[in-house]
Amino acid sequence: MQVLVTGGMGYIGSHTCIQMIEKGMTPIILDNLDNSKQSVLDRIELVSGLRPLFYQGDIRDKTFLDSVFSKHNIDSVIHFAGLKAVGESVAKPLEYYDNNVTGTLVLVDAMRRANVKSIIFSSSATVYGDPASVPINESFPTSATNPYGRSKLIVEECLTDFQQANPDWSITLLRYFNPVGSHPSGELGEDPQGIPNNLMPFISQVAIGRREFLSVFGDDYATPDGTGVRDYIHVVDLSAGHIAALNKVGTKSGLHTYNLGTGIGYSVLEMVKAFEQASGKTVAYNIVDRRPGDIAECWADPAKAKTELDWSASYDLKRMTVDTWNWQQKNPTGYPD
Ligand code: NAD
Ligand code: UD1
């Protein structure tokens, strides 16, 4: 099985490529290296024993896409490529809509020309907006509170319309909850450029001494300890969800939508404590104001993926924190240039 992996040099894409190789699949990576480094390819090879084919280019480049599709018999596409920083999306909405929405449309159009009719799209739990209750299942109403979230929602809606007009296509929307953790080897992990936006990489950089303290965004939410609660999922489990989706529904025509989460919520302070235990370091923190746009709690009902994909998360919070710390220690400043 040959699978074109857009954004395959990034955090989730690189981990997924390793598992694809382990399962005998052939990932072909397409990435513009906007948010990743060439050295990721060396790490994929080191861990998996195989160096995937890599095309450096942009999903918005029609000619480039046509040339890649013409060179290979691609069975399916996993589409990770996109921009993902919520704050940046508020400042640069056009860039986000261009990259995430236009990019996906150009990609799907190229797939159509190449007669490749199976795509798995990286969506996000952000499409549930501020949910009325938890746990969240796939039939909950969707909404967006920022341009990043709206770009994911627009793509979901475009792909839904497209699938209805083209019923022989297989389109899978995977809604990730909060991906964390690293490959157990410590060779691959999350490598945010600049100040991390997300909790886990921030905690990890405080523990290693790159940042002085964590700002905890609010302790007055209606949650057990007042801090925000999220469904953190190990990136290895998340990657396995893509393999399960490819195998179970990747060749089945239809629109398939799944939550990829653990079904368990942890608070910010629980995450800090777990990381302190894993690292043996103190993670200094200050309570500050709530971050605009944040919600109190968000965790998945992962039952649909269990029933239909035979997939569920198996890595616990200890593994998430131990593996993150292993990666952080081995790569204190991330991937080499
Ligand atoms: P990432 O930034 O590490 O990886 C994305 C990759 O896509 C990068 O290597 C980047 O260089 C590449 N890319 C971006 N725009 C491109 C373009 N126009 N053409 C070609 N390549 C391009 O992000 P990630 O955390 O691995 O996320 C992967 C996907 O999952 C994204 O679509 C993201 O929105 C989605 N997602 C991520 C999270 C998360 O917390 N990490 C949560 C929900 C959804
Ligand atoms: C954020 C995005 C979401 C995106 C997801 C994955 C927002 C509002 N939402 O989700 O759209 O899909 O990342 O990329 O940005 N926290 C702190 N201090 C920090 C960082 C985070 O206290 O320095 C808290 C947050 O308030 C939240 C929890 O930690 O309660 C998790 O935050 P984060 O990792 O940013 O993820 P989300 O906000 O869930």
Side-chain angles (χ1 to χ4, degrees):
M1 196 188 218
Q2 301 209 59
V3 182
L4 184 71
V5 185
T6 76
M9 300 290 267
Y11 173 45
I12 305 167
S14 57
H15 285 82
T16 304
C17 284
I18 288 177
Q19 290 192 33
M20 291 172 74
I21 294 167
E22 285 167 358
K23 301 280 177 209
M25 298 172 174
T26 306
I28 297 164
I29 298 177
L30 188 160
D31 199 302
N32 65 3
L33 298 182
D34 186 80
N35 196 37
S36 49
K37 296 197 178 136
Q38 177 83 33
S39 58
V40 171
L41 213 54
D42 303 330
R43 300 293 178 91
I44 295 176
E45 183 179 11
L46 183 71
V47 169
S48 72
L50 201 138
R51 192 174 186 85
L53 268 179
F54 167 52
Y55 292 98
Q56 184 172 350
D58 198 292
I59 52 165
R60 291 162 293 181
D61 182 343
K62 184 172 176 264
T63 313
F64 167 65
L65 289 183
D66 283 344
S67 86
V68 173
F69 278 110
S70 71
K71 288 193 185 85
H72 305 279
N73 270 328
I74 290 166
D75 298 292
S76 188
V77 174
I78 307 186
H79 177 32
F80 292 105
L83 303 177
K84 63 166 183 176
V86 173
E88 188 185 55
S89 81
V90 175
K92 298 178 173 178
L94 281 192
E95 283 79 354
Y96 271 67
Y97 293 125
D98 183 40
N99 211 311
N100 294 2
V101 180
T102 309
T104 304
L105 299 185
V106 173
L107 172 68
V108 173
D109 202 25
M111 290 174 65
R112 179 161 64 169
R113 282 192 297 279
N115 208 28
V116 178
K117 297 181 176 181
S118 166
I119 182 168
I120 292 178
F121 172 63
S122 296
S123 191
S124 165
T126 191
V127 300
Y128 295 116
D130 191 354
S133 61
V134 278
I136 302 166
N137 70 47
E138 290 82 351
S139 59
F140 271 40
T142 53
S143 64
T145 52
N146 56 66
Y148 166 72
R150 194 162 295 110
S151 74
K152 291 290 171 189
L153 200 47
I154 293 171
V155 170
E156 283 205 1
E157 288 169 349
C158 291
L159 291 177
T160 302
D161 288 344
F162 181 76
Q163 203 285 324
Q164 257 164 29
N166 298 275
D168 56 333
W169 276 57
S170 168
I171 295 186
T172 305
L173 311 175
L174 297 181
R175 294 174 175 163
Y176 311 156
F177 281 67
N178 290 59
V180 295
S182 316
H183 193 271
S185 64
E187 298 293 345
L188 290 107
E190 188 170 8
D191 182 18
Q193 306 302 304
I195 302 169
N197 299 302
N198 296 115
L199 179 66
M200 189 71 135
F202 205 106
I203 290 180
S204 183
Q205 291 194 6
V206 173
I208 201 88
R210 274 175 75 180
R211 319 238 161 238
E212 213 180 326
F213 61 87
L214 168 76
S215 295
V216 174
F217 298 142
D219 67 349
D220 56 352
Y221 286 105
T223 60
D225 66 17
T227 65
V229 172
R230 297 291 183 275
D231 185 337
Y232 297 94
I233 174 168
H234 197 295
V235 67
V236 169
D237 275 331
L238 189 68
S239 299
H242 294 73
I243 313 289
L246 265 181
N247 285 333
K248 294 279 180 182
V249 294
T251 52
K252 239 189 234 174
S253 55
L255 181 79
H256 316 285
T257 305
Y258 299 102
N259 284 342
L260 295 184
T262 64
I264 302 168
Y266 290 107
S267 74
V268 176
L269 295 182
E270 283 174 319
M271 296 302 285
V272 168
K273 203 167 165 198
F275 207 91
E276 288 184 333
Q277 274 162 4
S279 64
K281 303 276 180 190
T282 300
V283 175
Y285 67 85
N286 289 334
I287 308 288
V288 301
D289 286 346
R290 291 180 178 193
R291 181 171 63 180
D294 270 357
I295 57 177
E297 49 186 13
C298 171
W299 68 87
D301 174 352
K304 190 176 176 212
K306 173 75 183 153
T307 309
E308 296 184 14
L309 302 181
D310 194 23
W311 170 91
S312 58
S314 56
Y315 285 53
D316 61 11
L317 182 56
K318 188 171 175 198
R319 280 303 297 266
M320 298 182 210
T321 49
V322 165
D323 288 341
T324 302
W325 183 235
N326 186 29
W327 153 256
Q328 183 72 73
Q329 279 184 298
K330 279 191 165 179
N331 306 272
T333 53
Y335 289 109
D337 284 322

